[in-house]
């Protein structure tokens, strides 16, 4: 102990990578527990930008154990390219460990993701087209190929052959001759197996050992609560569970191994892909905030939809994750706004006021935000390093968020650099910081 889970409390892209990187400095290990290379973490350090898709954010710290847990889906082409790229940037990846039970994204998963979106037409989900959904579908259907299968040519070929058959049928209307040759694919994946063999291990046991020895372990989530397949805005969600409960399943530990859950939220909201987004800003202000916040997808380069902070959704995210702390990122992006709007409840199409997140899709799709208007501030925040130096309106904004959500704000982001961070007074007693002091 202690185990701290870091999760996205909105629709992803909240800045989890930066927070994980900051805490990783003080932790012994970082483990990713769900998602795949649909995620994109950007970490800016000493002026150099690192873009990670599969690697746990702790990889930039020499000597840390960085684990890809069993709940992650791995595209081995992306993983090996990422290892090579980090090496080129002078980063040592020898601390990487990969669960033998994690599932592999196969070439047919990518084709199926594209075909599925094409078939949905105007109702498309707007996936990252990285094969995530089809891979998790195969896992549930017990047709998945796991990391451990890459080490056994006979088993690998047999499992691919079984999984491939139904894919050929479903892809037939989309491609005359899908490039799905059993032999070629088996050889390609055996090659990946050779490349990553040195990192493959029983990662659950590794994490138990660390926790039992009193080491500090970070469980790093991808995406965000509102994209959770069970609790998000289904069907406009990803195919895994980005909520804290999944840290146990996707890393192989029990709920009592988790001490704290930190939720990361931007000072406003963004969403990529389709689906309900009650506080979306439709006018030129969204272009202005997108520009100021660099709101383009790390993975796909798509412009992110931009909205004001949604405290109905954030309270919900706090509850389903049992957040113990909030990190509010990108506060600097709001500088220069005369007024800041925040949704504290919704109005349903029938006129009812809703202060909890509606469970019914039709209600949510038609819900309109009820705004609270707060004063803005004009000062740039990028160089501020302490809470007291923030403009009074910015401090009031943070207090408003903490009060409405009922969770203390421990960290505030005022720019992309790791030094552009304010630790609040509430941070001192938290588990990851206590671990560092011990
Ligand atoms: P998928 O995860 O590629 O299947 O995409 C499903 C939905 O989740 C789409 O709306 C994506 O834009 C969204 N999504 C997936 N990963 C991320 C992420 O890391 N950040 C933000 N949105 C994401």
């Amino acid at each position: 102990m202690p185990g701290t889970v870091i999760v996205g409390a909105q629709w992803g892209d909240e800045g989890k990578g930066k927070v994980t990187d900051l805490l990783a400095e003080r932790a012994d290990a970082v483990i990713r527990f769900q998602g795949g290379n649909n995620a994109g973490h950007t970490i800016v350090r000493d002026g150099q930008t690192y873009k990670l898709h599969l690697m746990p954010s702790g990889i930039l710290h020499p000597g840390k154990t960085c684990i890809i847990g069993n709940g992650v889906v791995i595209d081995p082409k992306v993983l090996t390219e990422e290892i090579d790229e980090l090496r080129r940037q002078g980063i040592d990846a020898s601390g990487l460990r990969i669960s033998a039970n994690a599932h592999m994204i196969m070439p047919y998963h990518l084709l199926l993701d594209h075909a599925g979106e094409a078939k949905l037409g105007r109702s498309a989900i707007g996936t990252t087209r990285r094969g995530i959904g089809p891979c998790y579908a195969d896992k549930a259907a017990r047709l998945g190929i796991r990391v451990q299968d890459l080490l056994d040519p006979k088993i690998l070929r047999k499992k691919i052959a079984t999984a491939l058959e139904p894919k050929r049928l479903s892809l037939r209307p989309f491609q005359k001759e899908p490039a799905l040759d059993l032999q070629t694919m088996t050889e390609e994946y055996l090659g990946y197996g050779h490349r990553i063999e040195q990192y493959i291990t029983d990662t659950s046991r590794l994490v138990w050992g660390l926790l039992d020895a009193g080491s500090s372990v970070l469980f790093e989530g991808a995406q965000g609560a509102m994209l959770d397949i069970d609790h998000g805005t289904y069907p406009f969600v990803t195919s895994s569970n980005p909520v804290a409960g999944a840290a146990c399943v996707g890393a192989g530990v029990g709920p009592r191994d988790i001490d704290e859950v930190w939720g990361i939220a931007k000072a406003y909201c963004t969403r990529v892909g389709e689906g309900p987004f009650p506080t979306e800003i439709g006018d030129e202000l969204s272009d202005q905030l997108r520009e100021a916040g660099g709101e383009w997808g790390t993975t796909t380069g798509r412009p992110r939809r931009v909205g004001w902070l949604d405290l109905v959704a954030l309270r919900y995210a706090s509850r389903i994750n049992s957040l113990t702390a909030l990190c509010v990122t990108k506060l600097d992006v709001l500088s220069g706004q005369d007024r800041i709007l925040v949704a504290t409840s919704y109005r349903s199409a029938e006129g009812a006021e809703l202060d909890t997140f509606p469970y019914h899709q039709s209600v949510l799709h038609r819900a309109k935000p009820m705004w609270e208007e707060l004063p803005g501030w004009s000062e740039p925040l990028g160089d501020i390093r302490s809470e007291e130096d923030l403009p009074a309106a910015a401090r009031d904004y943070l207090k408003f968020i903490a009060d409405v959500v009922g969770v203390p704000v421990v960290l505030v982001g005022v720019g992309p650099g790791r030094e552009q961070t304010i630790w609040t007074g509430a941070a001192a007693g938290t588990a990851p910081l206590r671990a560092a002091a011990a």
Side-chain angles (χ1 to χ4, degrees):
M1 293 285 223
T4 302
V5 181
I6 297 167
V7 285
Q10 294 167 324
W11 279 272
D13 308 317
E14 301 91 348
K16 295 175 291 291
K18 175 174 163 173
V19 177
T20 310
D21 178 52
L22 285 167
L23 292 183
E25 193 175 12
R26 307 149 191 263
D28 299 291
V30 182
I31 177 162
R32 267 200 61 182
F33 57 86
Q34 46 73 229
N37 62 308
N38 48 350
H41 295 309
T42 306
I43 300 172
V44 182
R45 171 191 274 222
D46 302 329
Q48 174 127 11
T49 302
Y50 300 89
K51 286 190 187 292
L52 306 175
H53 294 286
L54 270 165
M55 284 285 183
S57 299
I59 199 74
L60 301 184
H61 298 272
K64 301 284 166 190
T65 304
C66 286
I67 305 168
I68 298 181
N70 58 276
V72 175
V73 289
I74 300 174
D75 184 328
K77 183 168 185 294
V78 174
L79 177 63
T80 48
E81 282 170 4
E82 209 161 283
I83 295 171
D84 291 342
E85 178 57 25
L86 283 172
R87 249 191 223 131
R88 265 194 293 278
Q89 291 183 289
I91 304 293
D92 165 29
S94 61
L96 177 66
R97 297 291 175 272
I98 303 170
S99 167
N101 288 350
H103 280 247
M104 309 303 304
I105 295 181
M106 306 297 290
Y108 42 80
H109 292 141
L110 294 163
L111 296 173
L112 284 168
D113 203 353
H114 277 87
E117 288 285 89
K119 198 155 73 181
L120 284 170
R122 282 161 58 92
S123 316
I125 292 157
T127 73
T128 60
R129 297 175 188 236
R130 298 296 188 267
I132 306 294
C135 183
Y136 277 115
D138 264 359
K139 176 178 177 176
R142 289 153 294 184
L143 286 173
I145 313 294
R146 296 190 295 170
V147 168
Q148 56 184 278
D149 300 326
L150 303 185
L151 305 179
D152 186 323
K154 259 205 206 125
I155 288 186
L156 181 64
R157 192 186 156 90
K158 194 160 165 255
K159 288 197 175 179
I160 295 180
T162 311
L164 201 48
E165 214 35 55
K167 311 300 185 298
R168 284 194 207 283
L169 289 176
S170 42
L171 284 167
R172 198 168 287 158
F174 299 91
Q175 283 196 302
K176 282 217 167 62
E177 275 180 78
L180 298 176
D181 176 65
L182 174 61
Q183 190 55 28
T184 313
M185 206 183 297
T186 308
E187 279 166 19
E188 185 189 348
Y189 275 68
L190 283 172
Y192 293 131
H194 288 308
R195 282 235 34 213
I196 64 171
E197 188 168 1
Q198 60 183 305
Y199 306 114
I200 302 173
T201 191
D202 178 350
T203 51
S204 303
R205 194 193 285 256
L206 179 60
V207 176
W208 303 334
L210 287 163
L211 292 169
D212 293 348
S215 301
S216 168
V217 179
L218 298 177
F219 299 81
E220 181 186 15
Q223 291 86 44
M226 307 314 290
L227 290 174
D228 185 279
I229 191 164
D230 286 271
H231 304 287
T233 55
Y234 192 90
F236 301 99
V237 293
T238 192
S239 296
S240 66
N241 293 105
V243 296
C248 294
V249 181
V253 300
R256 291 197 298 143
D257 289 313
I258 309 297
D259 287 53
E260 291 196 18
V261 183
W262 285 28
I264 321 301
K266 275 180 203 171
Y268 50 99
C269 281
T270 61
R271 171 165 206 168
V272 248
E274 303 309 317
F277 186 12
T279 61
E280 184 163 18
I281 303 169
D283 54 28
E284 66 274 11
L285 176 59
S286 61
D287 297 334
Q288 192 191 317
L289 290 173
R290 180 178 307 112
E291 207 52 59
E295 298 295 357
W296 281 271
T298 317
T299 301
T300 57
R302 289 181 287 178
R304 295 178 185 144
R305 298 157 67 191
V306 180
W308 292 113
L309 187 61
D310 184 341
L311 289 180
V312 185
L314 192 53
R315 263 197 313 260
Y316 172 68
S318 167
R319 187 64 193 90
I320 54 177
N321 282 296
S322 15
L323 295 187
T324 59
L326 257 182
C327 302
V328 177
T329 58
K330 294 192 155 186
L331 188 64
D332 55 302
V333 174
L334 294 182
S335 287
Q337 300 300 328
D338 299 337
R339 54 170 206 158
I340 293 173
L341 297 186
V342 188
T344 47
S345 61
Y346 300 150
R347 171 88 64 202
S348 77
E350 292 74 29
E353 186 173 345
L354 312 169
D355 59 6
T356 55
F357 197 75
Y359 70 90
H360 202 291
Q361 196 183 352
S362 311
V363 178
L364 177 63
H365 275 268
R366 296 160 69 201
K368 296 275 180 270
M370 309 264 290
W371 301 112
E372 188 86 33
E373 188 177 318
L374 302 174
W377 59 90
S378 55
E379 301 89 326
L381 308 183
D383 293 329
I384 296 180
R385 298 291 175 268
S386 79
E387 220 178 341
E388 303 79 63
D389 293 337
L390 283 171
R395 281 203 308 271
D396 290 346
Y397 184 53
L398 293 170
K399 183 171 181 326
F400 186 83
I401 297 170
D403 288 348
V404 173
V405 180
V407 176
V409 173
V410 295
L411 180 155
V412 183
V414 290
R418 66 194 316 272
E419 70 290 350
Q420 291 179 296
T421 302
I422 298 172
W423 293 98
T424 73
T430 59
L433 302 208
R434 273 202 318 272

